[in-house]
Amino acid sequence: MGGKAGKGRRTGRVRMEEVARLAGVSTITVSRALRSPDKVSAETLRQVKAAVAASGYVPDLVAGSLASNRSRIIAAIVPSIAASIFADTVEGMGEELRDAGYQLLLGNSGYSIAEEEALVAAFLGRRPDGMMLTGIVHSEPAREMLKQAGLPIVESWDLPDRPIDMAAGFSNRSAGRAMTESLIRAGYRRIAFLSGAIEREHRASERRAGYIEAMQAAKLVPLALADIARPTEMRSGAEAIAGLLAREPELDAAFFTNDLLAFGALTECRRRNIAVPGRVAIAGFGDYEIAAMAEPALTTVAIPARDIGRAAARMLLDRLAGRAVEPAIRDLGFRVIRRASA
Amino acid sequence: MGGKAGKGRRTGRVRMEEVARLAGVSTITVSRALRSPDKVSAETLRQVKAAVAASGYVPDLVAGSLASNRSRIIAAIVPSIAASIFADTVEGMGEELRDAGYQLLLGNSGYSIAEEEALVAAFLGRRPDGMMLTGIVHSEPAREMLKQAGLPIVESWDLPDRPIDMAAGFSNRSAGRAMTESLIRAGYRRIAFLSGAIEREHRASERRAGYIEAMQAAKLVPLALADIARPTEMRSGAEAIAGLLAREPELDAAFFTNDLLAFGALTECRRRNIAVPGRVAIAGFGDYEIAAMAEPALTTVAIPARDIGRAAARMLLDRLAGRAVEPAIRDLGFRVIRRASA
DNA sequence: ATGAAAGCGCTAACAA
DNA sequence: TTGTTAGCGCTTTCAT
């Protein structure tokens, strides 16, 4: 082994020092050439670039983060990655972040605020420049850590009463109310709302609250069931609808907390020759791809999943760039979409 | 502002030194207490824990990574996050990594190997301890960087002829062949294969190659169409099937490269009163949730998306723990699932 | 426009 | 079992 093996605990990677030597400049000049090319002379820039290419240098962002106290990492915590609706939000974030040179550290809380708290603690150790959380319900320790850390935060997918910092979402309660009102206007009277255990999913409970408000305002009797065991699976919707119609023969509409359940119910109705919307109308939530495709097409609430991600990323980037973020709480809205199923 | 403001460029975070002071020990003892509790005395451990709690200390993993040359980050690059099938793989990885204390840096190549190369370069700068790539087709510079970097790599979702390091997947070609053979055994003769532009998606082109092999082996004429513009959207399947039947009236089966297309086609057939499988049989690929739910239920190929993620993560973790990874190329298999649509 | 020195917060190596 | 020292690779600050 020849030469400069070194005695320390070096990693063997090509370092900036090597590039500097090849280019005949100091390391700080290399650093500047790479990060702010306009701060070095054209000639120096050329030489540094050549040296980088010749040596195969890859900047060590870990060392850079430590020295600069900026990581160019944005952390995001979602309840589930496999739930396509959150995947859309993550992809929206990714689109914005990539162009800005930021990278995405992703965590999955499994709809648990205890797990979210653990992720927050672990992620903060990475010194992310910003963080996106899903929802507005968090543990007190998590809120505390985040405020302490003082980094920009965006809560998403709902509108917080007590924001940690910024937010990008829509009112799940208003959306639940709007769909219910739409069903009432269409002439339905005995409308049920179906979701999974609501304490586990605050957004579903908000939709449910909106449903109850609309029913009461119309002097109708709410029938809100929160007993679906696996509310992210289509088959749960199929299982739910049959039992429900048996128990509540007067029912004329079923509003599900998401399109997967609604589609499952729709399919089960076809299997059993239950006319939709003739015998029972079915409405979903989310405007998943399946909603427009289904037969009959599914009445649902369209929500801006991807835009939430983009907005969240832009708000974080704006704050990091020192730009004012106004308003700090952004309502991205929703849209009731009437299709054939209700 | 009292006291120890300090002159340097400190971040204001609580440091290990503060914890050490409170506990009356040195920083390295704190470090050991946190990382290998069994290397310090019970009494010391107790005091350190108390000091951590009292100070609200959050370890700085950036500094730790720099010093230890281990980041506890695994990078993963997928073609799309919103495509649920890759989301399942990512979620599978996440499950394994979380328990091992690793975190996931996620990138989205948009099915582009140029974009993948850019992500590889950017990610390597973070010094991930390992990396997962989707597919076996990569740019030469990307392969080169990865080999240079010398970290454990898992390629996924196919079986490489020329592995970079390790792999976890299945043979897309065999799977395409197996489904085609199954259709032939079921009596279909004029079978088409439909996919998006194959040069963009190597896995689809492998399935197609398997289809062609099976057709030729049975002395049948392959009809492979790779002209679906948006092969990840259901509606593309709906658009494709009608035109195809008009152009190829003799057709008795259509094998789509994924279940989304197949489901779109199924739905379109129902709208047009085209009997499935009576007039035309339909088969998909992937065994998405929609496949079992559809009416008629969709014949498809089940692939172990989540297991690929878990296996990839475990292989990386095993290697990082110094355990032998044998075999380094893992075939997780697939299963042809016959349902009502074909 | 460029450079020298110092230090970001932690852990490896060695010592006691 | 615990501590001392040095250094991971970069960017900051301050100087030229």
Side-chain angles (χ1 to χ4, degrees), chain B residues 56-317:
Chain B
Y57 172 67
V58 177
D60 187 327
L61 301 180
V62 172
S65 297
L66 182 62
S68 68
N69 197 29
R70 292 170 56 262
S71 62
R72 296 206 161 252
I73 281 186
I74 299 291
I77 303 178
V78 294
S80 162
I81 302 165
S84 65
I85 201 92
F86 296 120
D88 284 342
T89 297
V90 171
E91 203 157 278
M93 289 190 76
E95 290 168 8
E96 295 285 332
L97 295 180
R98 165 185 345 203
D99 298 340
Y102 278 73
Q103 286 157 21
L104 190 66
L105 192 65
L106 186 66
N108 178 337
S109 70
Y111 295 92
S112 148
I113 67 167
E115 191 61 43
E116 180 186 75
E117 179 184 321
L119 281 168
V120 165
F123 280 0
L124 284 179
R126 298 282 175 196
R127 291 191 181 186
D129 290 343
M131 196 179 301
M132 189 279 273
L133 303 175
T134 304
I136 60 173
V137 181
H138 317 287
S139 75
E140 265 324 305
R143 302 184 82 91
E144 206 45 53
M145 281 189 278
L146 290 167
K147 288 197 164 166
Q148 277 289 324
L151 76 174
I153 308 282
V154 179
E155 293 169 271
S156 67
W157 274 86
D158 212 336
L159 300 175
D161 300 320
R162 195 166 63 110
I164 299 173
D165 182 7
M166 303 178 284
F170 62 94
S171 168
N172 282 276
R173 181 180 293 230
S174 299
R177 197 188 313 116
M179 172 58 88
T180 308
E181 287 166 354
S182 170
L183 292 171
I184 293 169
R185 272 198 304 278
Y188 300 104
R189 289 295 172 268
R190 299 184 159 270
I191 307 168
F193 176 87
L194 292 95
S195 68
I198 54 160
E199 62 277 11
R200 182 163 165 276
E201 232 279 41
H202 180 257
R203 292 169 290 287
S205 93
E206 284 291 303
R207 289 167 207 161
R208 173 180 130 122
Y211 154 83
I212 291 174
E213 286 170 13
M215 292 296 278
Q216 289 176 339
K219 314 279 186 222
L220 297 174
V221 183
L223 174 62
L225 302 171
D227 59 357
I228 296 184
R230 289 186 202 78
T232 57
E233 294 180 12
M234 292 178 178
R235 74 181 65 248
S236 302
E239 289 160 9
I241 192 74
L244 179 63
L245 286 173
R247 285 200 311 282
E248 305 282 344
E250 310 276 279
L251 205 72
D252 58 15
F255 173 16
F256 289 86
T257 190
N258 69 53
D259 283 352
L260 302 178
L261 295 171
F263 176 77
L266 207 61
T267 306
E268 184 64 17
C269 286
R270 172 147 48 213
R271 283 200 199 99
R272 296 179 178 238
N273 282 315
I274 297 168
V276 175
R279 166 65 185 85
V280 64
I282 290 182
F285 197 100
D287 196 26
Y288 290 47
E289 188 180 12
I290 189 79
M293 203 69 212
E295 267 291 313
L298 198 56
T299 288
T300 187
V301 181
I303 50 187
R306 181 170 302 260
D307 290 341
I308 288 174
R310 303 189 76 116
R314 274 200 306 267
M315 291 167 86
L316 293 171
L317 293 173

Side-chain angles (χ1 to χ4, degrees), chain B residues 26 28-29 32 40-41 44 67 127:
Chain B
S26 69
I28 187 66
T29 299
R32 284 197 272 250
V40 301
S41 73
T44 303
R127 291 191 181 186

Side-chain angles (χ1 to χ4, degrees), chain A residues 9 26 29 32 40-41 44 67 127:
Chain A
R9 40 194 165 98
S26 69
T29 299
R32 284 198 271 252
V40 300
S41 72
T44 303
R127 291 189 181 190

Side-chain angles (χ1 to χ4, degrees), chain A residues 54-90:
Chain A
S55 61
Y57 173 67
V58 177
D60 186 327
L61 301 181
V62 172
S65 297
L66 182 62
S68 67
N69 198 28
R70 290 169 58 261
S71 62
R72 294 206 163 254
I73 281 186
I74 299 291
I77 302 178
V78 294
S80 161
I81 303 165
S84 65
I85 202 92
F86 296 119
D88 284 342
T89 297
V90 171

